[in-house]
Short mmCIF file of all heavy atoms in Angstrom, two decimals:
data_model
loop_
_atom_site.label_atom_id
_atom_site.label_comp_id
_atom_site.label_asym_id
_atom_site.label_seq_id
_atom_site.Cartn_x
_atom_site.Cartn_y
_atom_site.Cartn_z
N GLU A 581 5.60 -41.19 -55.93
CA GLU A 581 6.14 -42.20 -55.01
C GLU A 581 5.28 -43.46 -55.01
O GLU A 581 5.77 -44.57 -54.80
CB GLU A 581 6.22 -41.65 -53.59
CG GLU A 581 7.19 -40.49 -53.41
CD GLU A 581 6.63 -39.18 -53.92
OE1 GLU A 581 5.42 -38.94 -53.75
OE2 GLU A 581 7.39 -38.41 -54.53
N ASN A 582 3.99 -43.28 -55.23
CA ASN A 582 3.08 -44.43 -55.26
C ASN A 582 2.76 -44.87 -56.68
O ASN A 582 1.78 -45.59 -56.90
CB ASN A 582 1.80 -44.09 -54.52
CG ASN A 582 2.04 -43.87 -53.05
OD1 ASN A 582 2.81 -44.60 -52.43
ND2 ASN A 582 1.45 -42.84 -52.48
N GLY A 583 3.52 -44.40 -57.60
CA GLY A 583 3.30 -44.81 -58.98
C GLY A 583 2.33 -43.95 -59.74
O GLY A 583 1.98 -44.27 -60.89
N HIS A 586 -2.30 -45.22 -62.26
CA HIS A 586 -1.99 -46.50 -62.90
C HIS A 586 -2.96 -46.84 -64.02
O HIS A 586 -2.69 -47.72 -64.84
CB HIS A 586 -2.02 -47.61 -61.85
CG HIS A 586 -0.96 -47.47 -60.81
ND1 HIS A 586 0.23 -48.13 -60.86
CD2 HIS A 586 -0.90 -46.70 -59.71
CE1 HIS A 586 0.97 -47.80 -59.81
NE2 HIS A 586 0.31 -46.92 -59.09
N PRO A 666 -1.95 -51.94 -57.13
CA PRO A 666 -2.17 -50.96 -58.20
C PRO A 666 -3.40 -51.34 -59.04
O PRO A 666 -3.48 -52.45 -59.55
CB PRO A 666 -0.90 -51.05 -59.04
CG PRO A 666 0.11 -51.65 -58.13
CD PRO A 666 -0.63 -52.54 -57.20
N VAL A 688 -3.67 -55.63 -59.65
CA VAL A 688 -2.76 -56.77 -59.51
C VAL A 688 -3.38 -57.85 -58.64
O VAL A 688 -3.24 -59.04 -58.90
CB VAL A 688 -1.43 -56.28 -58.88
CG1 VAL A 688 -0.54 -57.46 -58.53
CG2 VAL A 688 -0.72 -55.37 -59.86
N ARG A 728 -5.54 -62.63 -60.26
CA ARG A 728 -4.26 -61.92 -60.14
C ARG A 728 -3.96 -61.27 -61.48
O ARG A 728 -4.30 -61.78 -62.53
CB ARG A 728 -3.13 -62.90 -59.82
CG ARG A 728 -3.22 -63.56 -58.45
CD ARG A 728 -2.63 -62.68 -57.37
NE ARG A 728 -1.21 -62.48 -57.57
CZ ARG A 728 -0.54 -61.45 -57.02
NH1 ARG A 728 -1.17 -60.55 -56.30
NH2 ARG A 728 0.76 -61.32 -57.21
N PHE A 729 -3.38 -60.13 -61.43
CA PHE A 729 -2.94 -59.42 -62.62
C PHE A 729 -4.07 -59.23 -63.64
O PHE A 729 -4.00 -59.71 -64.76
CB PHE A 729 -1.73 -60.11 -63.26
CG PHE A 729 -0.50 -60.01 -62.44
CD1 PHE A 729 -0.03 -61.09 -61.71
CD2 PHE A 729 0.20 -58.82 -62.34
CE1 PHE A 729 1.09 -60.99 -60.92
CE2 PHE A 729 1.33 -58.71 -61.55
CZ PHE A 729 1.78 -59.80 -60.84
N ARG A 731 -6.09 -57.46 -66.33
CA ARG A 731 -5.67 -56.53 -67.39
C ARG A 731 -6.81 -55.65 -67.88
O ARG A 731 -6.61 -54.49 -68.21
CB ARG A 731 -5.07 -57.30 -68.57
CG ARG A 731 -3.67 -57.81 -68.28
CD ARG A 731 -3.03 -58.29 -69.54
NE ARG A 731 -1.64 -58.69 -69.34
CZ ARG A 731 -0.60 -57.88 -69.48
NH1 ARG A 731 -0.80 -56.62 -69.78
NH2 ARG A 731 0.63 -58.32 -69.31
N ARG A 777 0.02 -66.05 -72.47
CA ARG A 777 -0.47 -64.92 -71.67
C ARG A 777 -1.42 -64.07 -72.52
O ARG A 777 -1.32 -64.06 -73.75
CB ARG A 777 0.68 -64.03 -71.21
CG ARG A 777 1.57 -64.63 -70.16
CD ARG A 777 0.87 -64.78 -68.82
NE ARG A 777 1.82 -65.19 -67.79
CZ ARG A 777 2.24 -66.43 -67.57
NH1 ARG A 777 1.80 -67.41 -68.34
NH2 ARG A 777 3.09 -66.70 -66.60
N PHE A 779 -3.08 -60.20 -73.21
CA PHE A 779 -2.73 -58.79 -73.04
C PHE A 779 -3.95 -57.87 -73.07
O PHE A 779 -4.04 -56.91 -72.33
CB PHE A 779 -1.76 -58.35 -74.14
CG PHE A 779 -0.37 -58.88 -73.95
CD1 PHE A 779 0.16 -59.79 -74.84
CD2 PHE A 779 0.39 -58.50 -72.87
CE1 PHE A 779 1.43 -60.30 -74.66
CE2 PHE A 779 1.66 -58.98 -72.68
CZ PHE A 779 2.18 -59.90 -73.58
N ALA A 827 3.55 -61.60 -80.62
CA ALA A 827 2.54 -61.17 -79.66
C ALA A 827 1.82 -59.91 -80.13
O ALA A 827 2.41 -59.06 -80.78
CB ALA A 827 3.21 -60.90 -78.32
N HIS A 857 7.92 -56.60 -80.36
CA HIS A 857 8.70 -57.38 -79.40
C HIS A 857 9.73 -56.46 -78.76
O HIS A 857 10.56 -55.85 -79.44
CB HIS A 857 9.38 -58.55 -80.09
CG HIS A 857 10.13 -59.43 -79.14
ND1 HIS A 857 9.57 -59.98 -78.01
CD2 HIS A 857 11.42 -59.84 -79.13
CE1 HIS A 857 10.46 -60.70 -77.36
NE2 HIS A 857 11.59 -60.62 -78.03
N ARG A 858 9.64 -56.39 -77.46
CA ARG A 858 10.54 -55.51 -76.71
C ARG A 858 11.99 -55.96 -76.85
O ARG A 858 12.90 -55.16 -76.90
CB ARG A 858 10.11 -55.53 -75.24
CG ARG A 858 10.55 -54.37 -74.42
CD ARG A 858 10.12 -54.59 -72.98
NE ARG A 858 8.69 -54.54 -72.80
CZ ARG A 858 8.02 -53.43 -72.52
NH1 ARG A 858 8.67 -52.29 -72.40
NH2 ARG A 858 6.71 -53.45 -72.37
N GLY A 859 12.17 -57.26 -76.91
CA GLY A 859 13.52 -57.80 -76.98
C GLY A 859 14.24 -57.45 -78.26
O GLY A 859 15.46 -57.29 -78.29
N ARG A 860 13.49 -57.31 -79.34
CA ARG A 860 14.07 -56.90 -80.62
C ARG A 860 13.86 -55.42 -80.89
O ARG A 860 14.24 -54.91 -81.94
CB ARG A 860 13.46 -57.71 -81.77
CG ARG A 860 13.85 -59.17 -81.77
CD ARG A 860 15.29 -59.35 -82.17
NE ARG A 860 15.59 -60.73 -82.51
CZ ARG A 860 16.82 -61.21 -82.58
NH1 ARG A 860 17.84 -60.42 -82.34
NH2 ARG A 860 17.03 -62.46 -82.88
N TYR A 862 11.16 -53.41 -81.56
CA TYR A 862 10.37 -52.91 -82.67
C TYR A 862 8.90 -53.06 -82.34
O TYR A 862 8.51 -53.88 -81.51
CB TYR A 862 10.68 -53.66 -83.99
CG TYR A 862 10.09 -55.05 -84.04
CD1 TYR A 862 8.82 -55.27 -84.58
CD2 TYR A 862 10.79 -56.13 -83.55
CE1 TYR A 862 8.28 -56.54 -84.62
CE2 TYR A 862 10.25 -57.40 -83.58
CZ TYR A 862 9.00 -57.60 -84.13
OH TYR A 862 8.46 -58.86 -84.15
N ASN A 920 7.85 -46.32 -72.18
CA ASN A 920 8.20 -46.12 -70.78
C ASN A 920 9.70 -45.94 -70.63
O ASN A 920 10.48 -46.21 -71.54
CB ASN A 920 7.72 -47.30 -69.94
CG ASN A 920 6.20 -47.31 -69.85
OD1 ASN A 920 5.56 -46.26 -69.97
ND2 ASN A 920 5.63 -48.46 -69.64
N LYS A 921 10.06 -45.51 -69.45
CA LYS A 921 11.47 -45.25 -69.19
C LYS A 921 12.29 -46.52 -69.38
O LYS A 921 11.88 -47.61 -68.96
CB LYS A 921 11.62 -44.75 -67.76
CG LYS A 921 13.04 -44.42 -67.37
CD LYS A 921 13.16 -44.05 -65.91
CE LYS A 921 14.61 -43.80 -65.54
NZ LYS A 921 14.77 -43.59 -64.10
N ASP A 922 13.42 -46.36 -70.03
CA ASP A 922 14.35 -47.47 -70.14
C ASP A 922 15.74 -46.96 -69.83
O ASP A 922 15.90 -45.88 -69.26
CB ASP A 922 14.27 -48.13 -71.52
CG ASP A 922 14.58 -47.15 -72.64
OD1 ASP A 922 15.14 -46.07 -72.35
OD2 ASP A 922 14.28 -47.45 -73.80
N MET A 923 16.73 -47.70 -70.21
CA MET A 923 18.09 -47.32 -69.86
C MET A 923 18.56 -46.10 -70.61
O MET A 923 19.59 -45.52 -70.29
CB MET A 923 19.04 -48.49 -70.16
CG MET A 923 18.76 -49.71 -69.32
SD MET A 923 18.77 -49.31 -67.57
CE MET A 923 20.44 -48.76 -67.36
N HIS A 924 17.84 -45.71 -71.63
CA HIS A 924 18.33 -44.64 -72.49
C HIS A 924 17.52 -43.35 -72.40
O HIS A 924 18.02 -42.29 -72.76
CB HIS A 924 18.35 -45.12 -73.94
CG HIS A 924 19.03 -46.43 -74.12
ND1 HIS A 924 20.38 -46.56 -74.02
CD2 HIS A 924 18.54 -47.67 -74.34
CE1 HIS A 924 20.72 -47.83 -74.19
NE2 HIS A 924 19.60 -48.52 -74.38
N THR A 946 6.79 -44.23 -66.17
CA THR A 946 5.73 -45.06 -66.73
C THR A 946 4.59 -44.20 -67.24
O THR A 946 4.15 -43.27 -66.55
CB THR A 946 5.18 -46.02 -65.65
OG1 THR A 946 6.26 -46.74 -65.08
CG2 THR A 946 4.19 -46.99 -66.25
N GLY B 87 17.15 -59.25 -77.16
CA GLY B 87 17.99 -59.69 -78.27
C GLY B 87 17.69 -61.07 -78.79
O GLY B 87 18.39 -61.58 -79.67
N PHE B 88 16.65 -61.69 -78.24
CA PHE B 88 16.28 -63.03 -78.69
C PHE B 88 14.98 -62.97 -79.48
O PHE B 88 14.17 -62.06 -79.30
CB PHE B 88 16.11 -63.97 -77.50
CG PHE B 88 17.40 -64.19 -76.74
CD1 PHE B 88 17.69 -63.45 -75.61
CD2 PHE B 88 18.30 -65.15 -77.15
CE1 PHE B 88 18.87 -63.64 -74.92
CE2 PHE B 88 19.49 -65.36 -76.46
CZ PHE B 88 19.77 -64.60 -75.34
N ASP B 89 14.79 -63.95 -80.32
CA ASP B 89 13.56 -64.02 -81.09
C ASP B 89 12.36 -64.17 -80.18
O ASP B 89 12.45 -64.73 -79.09
CB ASP B 89 13.62 -65.20 -82.06
CG ASP B 89 14.52 -64.90 -83.24
OD1 ASP B 89 14.71 -63.71 -83.53
OD2 ASP B 89 15.03 -65.85 -83.85
N GLU B 90 11.22 -63.72 -80.70
CA GLU B 90 9.98 -63.85 -79.94
C GLU B 90 9.69 -65.31 -79.60
O GLU B 90 9.13 -65.62 -78.55
CB GLU B 90 8.80 -63.30 -80.75
CG GLU B 90 8.88 -61.81 -81.05
CD GLU B 90 9.47 -61.53 -82.41
OE1 GLU B 90 10.54 -62.10 -82.73
OE2 GLU B 90 8.88 -60.74 -83.17
N GLY B 95 12.73 -64.81 -75.37
CA GLY B 95 11.84 -63.83 -75.99
C GLY B 95 10.41 -63.98 -75.49
O GLY B 95 9.71 -62.99 -75.26
N PHE B 98 10.14 -62.54 -72.02
CA PHE B 98 10.21 -61.08 -72.06
C PHE B 98 8.89 -60.50 -72.55
O PHE B 98 8.44 -59.45 -72.07
CB PHE B 98 11.36 -60.66 -72.98
CG PHE B 98 11.82 -59.25 -72.74
CD1 PHE B 98 11.80 -58.68 -71.48
CD2 PHE B 98 12.30 -58.49 -73.79
CE1 PHE B 98 12.24 -57.40 -71.26
CE2 PHE B 98 12.74 -57.19 -73.58
CZ PHE B 98 12.71 -56.65 -72.32
N THR B 99 8.28 -61.16 -73.49
CA THR B 99 7.00 -60.68 -74.00
C THR B 99 5.94 -60.69 -72.92
O THR B 99 5.21 -59.72 -72.74
CB THR B 99 6.54 -61.54 -75.18
OG1 THR B 99 7.51 -61.44 -76.22
CG2 THR B 99 5.20 -61.09 -75.70
N LEU B 100 5.86 -61.78 -72.19
CA LEU B 100 4.79 -61.85 -71.21
C LEU B 100 5.07 -60.97 -69.99
O LEU B 100 4.16 -60.55 -69.29
CB LEU B 100 4.51 -63.30 -70.80
CG LEU B 100 5.55 -64.09 -70.03
CD1 LEU B 100 5.36 -63.88 -68.54
CD2 LEU B 100 5.39 -65.58 -70.35
N ASP B 102 6.21 -57.94 -70.23
CA ASP B 102 5.68 -56.66 -70.68
C ASP B 102 6.17 -55.52 -69.79
O ASP B 102 5.38 -54.69 -69.32
CB ASP B 102 4.15 -56.71 -70.69
CG ASP B 102 3.55 -55.53 -71.44
OD1 ASP B 102 4.27 -54.94 -72.26
OD2 ASP B 102 2.39 -55.20 -71.18
N ALA B 103 7.44 -55.48 -69.56
CA ALA B 103 8.00 -54.44 -68.71
C ALA B 103 9.42 -54.13 -69.17
O ALA B 103 10.09 -54.98 -69.75
CB ALA B 103 8.01 -54.88 -67.26
N GLU B 104 9.81 -52.91 -68.90
CA GLU B 104 11.12 -52.45 -69.35
C GLU B 104 12.01 -52.20 -68.14
O GLU B 104 11.53 -51.84 -67.07
CB GLU B 104 10.94 -51.15 -70.15
CG GLU B 104 12.19 -50.62 -70.82
CD GLU B 104 12.72 -51.52 -71.90
OE1 GLU B 104 12.11 -51.58 -72.99
OE2 GLU B 104 13.76 -52.15 -71.68
N ASP B 105 13.27 -52.42 -68.34
CA ASP B 105 14.25 -52.08 -67.30
C ASP B 105 14.37 -50.56 -67.25
O ASP B 105 14.87 -49.93 -68.19
CB ASP B 105 15.59 -52.72 -67.68
CG ASP B 105 16.68 -52.38 -66.68
OD1 ASP B 105 16.41 -51.61 -65.75
OD2 ASP B 105 17.80 -52.88 -66.84
N ASP B 106 13.90 -49.98 -66.15
CA ASP B 106 13.94 -48.53 -66.02
C ASP B 106 15.11 -48.09 -65.15
O ASP B 106 15.13 -46.97 -64.64
CB ASP B 106 12.62 -48.00 -65.45
CG ASP B 106 12.31 -48.56 -64.09
OD1 ASP B 106 13.11 -49.39 -63.59
OD2 ASP B 106 11.27 -48.19 -63.49
N GLY B 107 16.06 -48.96 -64.97
CA GLY B 107 17.20 -48.64 -64.13
C GLY B 107 17.09 -49.28 -62.76
O GLY B 107 18.08 -49.37 -62.03
N ARG B 111 16.40 -55.30 -61.68
CA ARG B 111 17.84 -55.16 -61.42
C ARG B 111 18.25 -55.90 -60.14
O ARG B 111 17.48 -55.97 -59.19
CB ARG B 111 18.19 -53.68 -61.26
CG ARG B 111 18.12 -52.93 -62.57
CD ARG B 111 19.51 -52.70 -63.09
NE ARG B 111 19.50 -52.34 -64.50
CZ ARG B 111 20.61 -52.19 -65.20
NH1 ARG B 111 21.78 -52.37 -64.63
NH2 ARG B 111 20.55 -51.88 -66.47
N THR B 161 5.91 -50.89 -56.89
CA THR B 161 5.00 -49.75 -57.05
C THR B 161 3.99 -49.98 -58.16
O THR B 161 2.80 -49.80 -57.97
CB THR B 161 5.82 -48.49 -57.37
OG1 THR B 161 6.85 -48.34 -56.40
CG2 THR B 161 4.93 -47.26 -57.35
N VAL B 163 2.28 -52.07 -61.63
CA VAL B 163 1.90 -53.42 -62.03
C VAL B 163 3.05 -54.11 -62.75
O VAL B 163 3.25 -55.32 -62.63
CB VAL B 163 0.62 -53.37 -62.88
CG1 VAL B 163 0.84 -52.64 -64.17
CG2 VAL B 163 0.11 -54.76 -63.15
N GLN B 164 3.83 -53.32 -63.48
CA GLN B 164 4.99 -53.91 -64.14
C GLN B 164 5.99 -54.43 -63.11
O GLN B 164 6.57 -55.51 -63.28
CB GLN B 164 5.68 -52.88 -65.05
CG GLN B 164 4.87 -52.50 -66.27
CD GLN B 164 4.03 -51.27 -66.04
OE1 GLN B 164 3.68 -50.93 -64.90
NE2 GLN B 164 3.65 -50.59 -67.11
N GLN B 166 5.39 -55.47 -60.12
CA GLN B 166 4.89 -56.69 -59.47
C GLN B 166 4.93 -57.89 -60.41
O GLN B 166 5.20 -59.02 -60.00
CB GLN B 166 3.45 -56.44 -58.99
CG GLN B 166 3.39 -55.23 -58.08
CD GLN B 166 2.49 -55.44 -56.89
OE1 GLN B 166 2.11 -56.54 -56.60
NE2 GLN B 166 2.15 -54.36 -56.21
N ARG B 167 4.68 -57.62 -61.68
CA ARG B 167 4.73 -58.71 -62.64
C ARG B 167 6.15 -59.24 -62.78
O ARG B 167 6.38 -60.45 -62.82
CB ARG B 167 4.19 -58.21 -63.99
CG ARG B 167 3.84 -59.33 -64.94
CD ARG B 167 2.90 -58.84 -66.01
NE ARG B 167 3.34 -57.64 -66.67
CZ ARG B 167 2.59 -56.57 -66.86
NH1 ARG B 167 1.35 -56.55 -66.44
NH2 ARG B 167 3.07 -55.50 -67.48
N GLU B 170 7.02 -61.26 -59.73
CA GLU B 170 6.35 -62.56 -59.66
C GLU B 170 6.86 -63.52 -60.72
O GLU B 170 7.03 -64.71 -60.47
CB GLU B 170 4.84 -62.36 -59.79
CG GLU B 170 4.06 -63.66 -59.66
CD GLU B 170 2.67 -63.45 -59.13
OE1 GLU B 170 2.52 -62.67 -58.19
OE2 GLU B 170 1.74 -64.05 -59.69
N GLU B 171 7.08 -63.01 -61.90
CA GLU B 171 7.41 -63.92 -63.00
C GLU B 171 8.91 -64.14 -63.17
O GLU B 171 9.31 -65.10 -63.83
CB GLU B 171 6.86 -63.36 -64.32
CG GLU B 171 5.37 -63.08 -64.33
CD GLU B 171 4.57 -64.22 -64.94
OE1 GLU B 171 5.15 -65.31 -65.11
OE2 GLU B 171 3.38 -64.02 -65.21
N ASP B 294 21.92 -53.33 -74.07
CA ASP B 294 21.52 -53.03 -72.69
C ASP B 294 21.92 -54.12 -71.71
O ASP B 294 21.76 -53.94 -70.50
CB ASP B 294 20.00 -52.83 -72.61
CG ASP B 294 19.56 -51.57 -73.31
OD1 ASP B 294 20.43 -50.72 -73.57
OD2 ASP B 294 18.37 -51.42 -73.59
#
Side-chain angles (χ1 to χ4, degrees):
Chain A
E581 295 78 37
N582 294 319
H586 295 263
V688 172
R728 293 276 296 160
F729 291 104
R731 284 192 175 269
R777 289 291 188 278
F779 287 114
H857 183 54
R858 202 183 292 269
R860 291 288 195 197
Y862 74 91
N920 290 335
K921 181 185 177 186
D922 60 15
M923 296 306 298
H924 310 288
T946 307
Chain B
F88 295 96
D89 284 337
E90 296 95 311
F98 199 34
T99 299
L100 67 88
D102 193 22
E104 186 65 73
D105 178 357
D106 60 359
R111 289 258 163 185
T161 308
V163 64
Q164 291 94 336
Q166 304 221 14
R167 195 160 51 229
E170 183 152 316
E171 304 263 13
D294 291 344

